Amino acid sequence: MTGRELQPVMAAIAAHARSTYPAECCGLVLAGGDGALRFVPIANIAGTAAAAGNSQRTRRDGYVMDPKALLAALAEVEQGGGRLAAIVHSHPDVGAYFSREDRDMALGGGAEPLWPGVQYLVISCKKAGSTRPGSIPGTRPAGILQKNKCPSSCRFLK
């Protein structure tokens, strides 16, 4: 998937990142059976009792997707002949980079991605409302969004 292919969902991703600020947002980019992409926000339950066994982080410095919403979204897209295309989360007030924890979660403790063929996208959301996309190296990154195609709220890696 290229940055150009992600353009139709970038405005929704950026809006979700701004709406959850200063907490991290998270969600999925799903490809329907016809290939059309859509962004599905998933509640970040980090810092709650439900997430305690998965992470000690809070919503401000980490994310844990609500497992019921995650499974429901995946079941729906698969039933329609579609697939998971990307996993998205934000980093409030810091850059669009992959932390050690992000990388460990994406690789599931091994050397290969936990979700082969799925891209990982991080959006940096600043207090001023800017967002900056990035993707994990070695996981078929989404690419750099073109300046003339990105919503005005996006900033660029290069």
Side-chain angles (χ1 to χ4, degrees), residues 50-142:
N54 296 316
S55 174
Q56 298 305 311
R57 292 186 179 254
T58 68
R59 292 182 49 213
R60 178 71 172 100
D61 67 352
Y63 78 98
V64 175
M65 289 191 193
D66 177 317
K68 290 179 183 176
L70 173 64
L71 292 174
L74 292 174
E76 179 188 342
V77 75
E78 289 173 4
Q79 288 172 359
R83 65 181 179 79
L84 173 61
I87 297 170
V88 178
H89 77 280
S90 67
H91 283 178
D93 295 322
V94 296
Y97 70 94
F98 287 85
S99 66
R100 175 180 285 157
E101 184 172 337
D102 293 338
R103 183 171 174 78
D104 290 346
M105 288 176 64
L107 297 177
E112 296 296 320
L114 194 58
W115 298 84
V118 172
Q119 294 181 32
Y120 297 82
L121 182 67
V122 170
I123 299 296
S124 174
C125 189
K126 309 270 183 181
K127 187 172 187 175
S130 65
T131 55
R132 181 181 192 145
S135 54
I136 290 181
T139 59
R140 295 172 36 179

